[in-house]
């Protein structure tokens, strides 16, 4: 158990809908990262928050957004869902600094299926 | 941009044998971190081992060691005395100290340990 929690574990929804994925980092970790894992694209970095502020942005679509709250949990919002958004979405957290060379510990993931 | 290459899509290994999983990387940044993660069929991403670009010695964590050859830009994972429970996908990843892109992952190697 990495100490990172993600809910829900599975999510099935229809095209055009909006969903919210939730992540709680390890106790004391200030950085939260979101990744998408799909068969065709592999593991891709989406976005990073550090202590409530957006720090880095990767291949995140405009239909997707995220935020980190004062208690450091984070939410990833996916809207106008398309079939191609079906994937495993991971949240990861790292120790108190905000450098990419810090070890990231991953949550169990949320498997999103868009029908 | 940084890149991770894992050239072995799949490997079959006999139980108790040592395994080497290949990883080469490409970056012009002098300060970076290299990571290996294990993803069993259940889907979670498990951190195995970390190597910093300035580390003089190869990293070791139990049965895992990282064969770091900086001049060749390779960071191979060695698993000694393989076990059936080692069967999983293995991902090599890199983070840049000066970057803002989260981790860059390779496509992974599917390792199957045979009894």
């Amino acid at each position: 158990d990495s100490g990172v929690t993600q809910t829900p574990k599975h999510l099935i929804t229809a095209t055009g809908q909006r969903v919210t994925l939730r992540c709680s980092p390890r106790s004391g970790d200030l950085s939260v990262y979101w990744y998408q894992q799909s068969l065709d694209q592999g593991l891709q970095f989406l976005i990073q928050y550090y202590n409530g502020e957006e720090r880095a942005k990767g291949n995140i679509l405009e239909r997707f957004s995220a935020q980190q709250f004062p208690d450091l949990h984070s939410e990833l919002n996916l809207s106008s869902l398309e079939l191609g958004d079906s994937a495993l979405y991971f949240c990861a957290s790292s120790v108190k600094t905000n450098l990419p060379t810090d070890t990231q510990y991953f949550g169990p993931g949320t498997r999103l299926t868009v029908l | 941009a940084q890149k991770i290459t894992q050239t072995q899509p799949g490997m079959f290994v006999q139980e108790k044998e040592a395994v080497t999983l290949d990883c080469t990387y490409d970056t012009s940044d002098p300060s970076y971190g290299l990571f290996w993660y294990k993803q069993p069929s259940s889907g979670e991403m498990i951190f195995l081992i970390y190597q910093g670009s300035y580390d003089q010695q190869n990293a070791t964590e139990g049965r895992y060691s990282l064969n770091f050859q900086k001049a060749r830009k390779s960071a191979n994972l060695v698993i000694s005395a393989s076990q059936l429970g080692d069967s999983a996908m293995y991902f090599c990843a890199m983070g840049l100290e000066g970057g803002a892109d989260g981790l860059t992952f390779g496509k992974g190697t599917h390792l199957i340990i045979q009894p």
Side-chain angles (χ1 to χ4, degrees), chain A residues 19 57 92-93 106 110:
Chain A
V19 297
K57 221 167 185 176
S93 74
F106 282 69
T110 293

Coordinates of all heavy atoms in Angstrom, one line a residue, chain A residues 19 57 92-93 106 110:
Chain A
V19 N -17.1 13.6 -15.3 CA -16.8 12.8 -14.1 C -15.7 13.5 -13.3 O -15.0 14.4 -13.9 CB -16.4 11.4 -14.5 CG1 -17.5 10.6 -15.2 CG2 -15.1 11.4 -15.3
K57 N 2.3 21.2 -16.5 CA 1.2 20.8 -17.3 C 1.8 19.9 -18.4 O 2.8 20.3 -19.1 CB 0.5 22.0 -17.9 CG -1.0 21.8 -17.9 CD -1.7 23.2 -18.3 CE -3.2 23.1 -18.2 NZ -3.8 24.4 -18.4
A92 N -0.4 10.3 -8.3 CA 0.8 10.0 -7.6 C 1.2 11.2 -6.7 O 0.8 12.4 -7.0 CB 2.0 9.8 -8.5
S93 N 1.9 10.9 -5.6 CA 2.3 12.0 -4.7 C 3.8 11.8 -4.4 O 4.4 10.7 -4.5 CB 1.5 12.1 -3.5 OG 1.8 11.1 -2.5
F106 N 2.4 6.0 -6.4 CA 1.2 6.0 -7.1 C 0.0 5.4 -6.3 O 0.2 4.4 -5.5 CB 1.3 5.1 -8.4 CG 2.1 5.9 -9.5 CD1 3.4 6.2 -9.4 CD2 1.4 6.3 -10.6 CE1 4.1 6.9 -10.4 CE2 2.0 6.9 -11.7 CZ 3.4 7.2 -11.5
T110 N -7.9 4.8 -11.1 CA -9.3 4.8 -11.4 C -9.5 4.4 -12.8 O -8.9 5.0 -13.7 CB -10.0 6.2 -11.2 OG1 -10.0 6.5 -9.8 CG2 -11.4 6.2 -11.7

